[in-house]
Amino acid sequence: MVYITGDTHGDLSFFKSPKLKKLTEDDTLIICGDFGFLWDGSEAEKKNIKALEKKKYTICFVDGVHENFDILNSYHPYRFKGGTAHKIASNVYHLMRGEIFTIEKKNFFVMGGGESEDADMREEGKTYWKEEMPSAQELLEGARNLKDIDYQIDYVLTYEAPAIAKDFIRLHTNQEMHLTPLNIYLQELMKSVEYRHWYFGSLHMDLPISKKMTAVFNDVIKL
């Protein structure tokens, strides 16, 4: 089975959750951004990756804004489930932007990346990377890949939310929501793509936006 969850931020304790103990070698857990286990290249971090490698199930993640893109992009692209990924460990994969993967006979379109609101308080190349925002090439490649399958997809997995989702949350919670060009891009995708459900992880909340869209954080959702 395929399971969806939100940002893990390099927190190994998340993987000790009872929700994940039942997963087997036949299961895949997909994290919607801010994986966070590739940050400083320390020995402690390498031990954490080794700990994840001992899990029975496959771990996949969409990149968010709290990733070290120098480390992430040092991995060679790897063909995985019909798309292009970075193979981090024997059972850990970074699902690259704009790619489409087939897992358990379901198709997943992924688009990682976002924009840090606190970028001006972080140090470029150490705690912040410009690569956190998808490039024009990545956005175009994503659109081309969707066109190739006639805009029919089972699931959309992103770190950021489409603009309409941020508007919904702003209206219902009175939280200020910052819109970026990526939010607008994802909103345009909504107009042309037929999908069963869309999950995103950037807002750190577990909240149904609509019958076809969910913000996910701590929940582990079985598809």
Side-chain angles (χ1 to χ4, degrees):
M1 298 297 297
V2 179
Y3 297 81
I4 307 296
T5 193
D7 301 6
T8 51
H9 287 285
D11 181 7
L12 194 60
S13 67
F14 172 82
F15 293 89
K16 298 176 183 178
S17 166
K19 298 176 184 178
L20 301 179
K21 287 184 177 179
K22 63 182 179 180
L23 272 61
T24 72
E25 60 272 11
D26 295 324
D27 295 319
T28 300
L29 175 71
I30 306 180
I31 299 160
C32 290
D34 282 352
F35 178 59
F37 286 89
L38 298 172
W39 185 251
D40 58 14
S42 65
E43 289 303 313
E45 186 170 270
K46 292 174 184 177
K47 287 181 181 179
N48 284 343
I49 294 292
K50 288 291 185 182
L52 294 181
E53 197 169 18
K54 293 178 182 178
K55 301 299 180 184
K56 295 178 181 179
Y57 50 91
T58 299
I59 300 168
C60 299
F61 68 95
V62 176
D63 58 271
V65 297
H66 291 94
E67 324 282 4
N68 183 325
F69 287 93
D70 289 336
I71 295 176
L72 192 57
N73 293 326
S74 70
Y75 289 88
H76 294 294
Y78 179 90
R79 292 301 291 174
F80 173 73
K81 303 291 185 181
T84 304
H86 288 129
K87 186 175 183 179
I88 309 303
S90 60
N91 65 326
V92 181
Y93 298 87
H94 166 229
L95 306 181
M96 295 176 69
R97 297 169 179 175
E99 294 291 311
I100 294 173
F101 301 87
T102 302
I103 306 172
E104 296 288 327
K105 298 182 180 180
K106 302 178 182 70
N107 294 330
F108 297 81
F109 171 79
V110 306
M111 180 59 72
E115 183 176 86
S116 297
E117 294 185 34
D118 62 347
D120 58 341
M121 301 174 64
R122 294 158 61 184
E123 185 176 353
E124 187 172 347
K126 291 188 177 180
T127 57
Y128 162 76
W129 285 262
K130 289 181 179 179
E131 291 87 349
E132 67 178 28
M133 274 294 283
S135 66
Q137 181 178 347
E138 288 170 331
L139 297 177
L140 287 171
E141 182 67 17
R144 281 195 293 265
N145 287 337
L146 287 169
K147 182 179 180 181
D148 287 345
I149 60 168
D150 295 325
Y151 302 102
Q152 304 287 320
I153 199 78
D154 291 314
Y155 296 97
V156 179
L157 305 178
T158 60
Y159 173 68
E160 267 293 356
I164 193 171
K166 283 193 166 183
D167 286 341
F168 172 89
I169 293 168
R170 178 179 56 82
L171 289 171
H172 286 78
T173 67
N174 291 321
Q175 292 186 39
E176 185 177 345
M177 289 285 144
H178 175 61
L179 288 181
T180 72
L182 182 56
N183 300 131
I184 305 304
Y185 168 87
L186 296 174
Q187 180 66 33
E188 290 301 310
L189 281 187
M190 285 189 64
K191 297 177 181 179
S192 56
V193 177
E194 290 292 331
Y195 58 91
R196 290 170 60 179
H197 210 91
W198 186 322
Y199 296 94
F200 63 88
S202 64
L203 298 180
H204 290 183
M205 59 178 68
D206 294 296
L207 181 70
I209 305 299
S210 70
K211 291 182 179 179
K212 296 181 65 175
M213 184 173 293
T214 301
V216 62
F217 183 34
N218 291 314
D219 281 353
V220 177
I221 300 171
K222 181 180 178 180
L223 299 186

